[in-house]
Amino acid sequence: MLLLRLFRERSMRQSQLIYRGSESSVVRIIRGSLGQDGNGRFVCVPGIKLWQQPRPCAWCGEPFTVKYVQAAKTRFCGRSCSAKWRMRQPEIVARVHTAEIHARIGAKVSTWLRETPKGRRHAHRFAAIKPMRIPGMRARISAILRQMGHRPPWSGGKGRGITRPQGLLLAALGAEWVAEHPVEVRPRQKIRPSCYYLDLANPKKKIAVEVDGATHYTAAVKEADARKETYLRSRGWTVLRFWNREILDWNASGRLTGSSISMTFRRFGIRLSR
Ligand SMILES: [Zn+2]
């Protein structure tokens, strides 16, 4: 009786050590051969071999037993718990998440997607998922982005609100006109964006007005502008181009009806209101 009590006390001491997460708790679990006596304390279960004694998982704390003597030193109840513990160790994470390993896994996955029937089915299924086509999704995402204070990194136009010259011209143009009008680009090509935004547009009459700033002097932007214009013309749009400066001057001069800007619009049957 006394012997049993002494044994129990020893077991309890050891289980407390384990709960405090001492360094060599694994060794103590195995040597101490702990079980559960129904009171939430780990004590020895008589008649069971040492390595078969239940022990608490080092991650989730649930008691578990191992089936094979080879697993006697296991500290975790399963692969899930051991993986969770491993991925909380900074040195292990640093070893696993390297650029080379990511590239290797990426290459393996893309080979699988391309070259196996199952992979191809998988890729097809994912390609068919178009979150932005789900009703209300675009609104939800833009609400979240706005809440986050997200601003697209590119300058001007899209996402930044309209510029002052754009606003002045829009006010003079009337109700049929909209700013930042999106035009989808079909068919998709690598060189072009999937969607063009028109600074100002009359979608009914298919007239686009581009209001350009100083960045449009550069060769790369000129080239992109030319591509955009070619595409729009091929889709039946008329493209008019003005400089920011032109519009500001026109506004400063009291929006003369005889100005070059109003005369340009006049040619397309558009009257600017003063
Ligand atoms: Zn566990």
Side-chain angles (χ1 to χ4, degrees):
M1 207 50 208
L2 181 73
L3 205 70
L4 188 69
R5 227 184 68 206
L6 280 172
F7 191 76
R8 282 199 159 208
E9 274 170 12
R10 203 194 77 178
S11 295
M12 276 167 66
R13 263 205 318 281
Q14 279 167 347
S15 68
Q16 278 157 9
L17 276 174
I18 290 154
Y19 283 136
R20 270 194 267 117
S22 65
E23 201 68 20
S24 53
S25 56
V26 193
V27 179
R28 286 214 186 81
I29 294 164
I30 291 157
R31 254 202 245 117
S33 60
L34 300 167
Q36 213 169 14
D37 66 353
N39 295 318
R41 289 188 306 237
F42 288 93
V43 290
C44 183
V45 177
I48 299 180
K49 282 183 189 137
L50 286 184
W51 63 268
Q52 287 175 322
Q53 295 289 339
R55 67 191 83 166
C57 168
W59 180 257
C60 69
E62 284 294 309
F64 71 101
T65 53
V66 294
K67 283 188 186 143
Y68 311 102
V69 71
Q70 286 87 346
K73 284 185 180 172
T74 303
R75 298 161 55 204
F76 304 98
C77 67
R79 289 174 70 184
S80 169
C81 278
S82 83
K84 279 168 192 155
W85 177 85
R86 253 183 296 123
M87 295 319 279
R88 294 299 191 291
Q89 310 307 306
E91 67 278 4
I92 293 176
V93 172
R95 200 151 16 90
V96 171
H97 288 295
T98 64
E100 300 90 78
I101 287 175
H102 281 197
R104 206 168 65 207
I105 293 169
K108 210 169 138 187
V109 170
S110 48
T111 311
W112 179 75
L113 287 171
R114 247 183 295 110
E115 286 167 17
T116 64
K118 197 179 172 188
R120 276 197 290 271
R121 274 204 304 280
H122 187 82
H124 184 76
R125 198 161 60 81
F126 269 79
I129 299 171
K130 291 191 166 51
M132 290 313 247
R133 298 261 170 94
I134 298 168
M137 185 60 84
R138 185 177 283 277
R140 254 176 68 194
I141 290 172
S142 45
I144 290 164
L145 289 176
R146 226 173 294 128
Q147 207 186 347
M148 283 163 59
H150 170 74
R151 278 186 147 203
W154 51 82
S155 60
K158 197 182 160 202
R160 289 236 171 161
I162 58 173
T163 61
R164 184 156 176 269
Q166 239 175 313
L168 290 170
L169 207 50
L170 185 63
L173 278 165
E176 273 183 12
W177 290 77
V178 289
E180 302 300 327
H181 179 67
V183 174
E184 205 176 343
V185 178
R186 292 275 168 202
R188 292 276 165 91
Q189 274 183 19
K190 267 194 181 163
I191 196 155
R192 295 187 300 217
S194 60
C195 187
Y196 280 131
Y197 287 85
L198 312 181
D199 289 344
L200 296 170
N202 185 332
K204 221 187 255 174
K205 290 183 178 164
K206 283 201 138 181
I207 300 173
V209 174
E210 292 287 277
V211 185
D212 299 335
T215 54
H216 292 258
Y217 283 114
T218 60
V221 177
K222 265 187 194 165
E223 216 172 276
D225 281 345
R227 273 201 300 274
K228 180 176 178 179
E229 207 170 313
T230 308
Y231 177 79
L232 290 172
R233 285 191 203 287
S234 76
R235 291 293 179 275
W237 284 84
T238 304
V239 184
L240 307 179
R241 251 172 214 292
F242 299 103
W243 295 106
N244 278 337
R245 180 52 36 208
E246 264 183 291
I247 293 164
L248 293 174
D249 288 346
W250 163 73
N251 186 58
S253 65
R255 297 181 178 185
L256 300 171
T257 34
S259 66
S260 67
I261 287 183
S262 55
M263 267 147 66
T264 308
F265 278 109
R266 201 62 177 272
R267 269 174 39 215
F268 297 94
I270 302 154
R271 288 179 65 92
L272 296 177
S273 61
R274 296 185 69 174

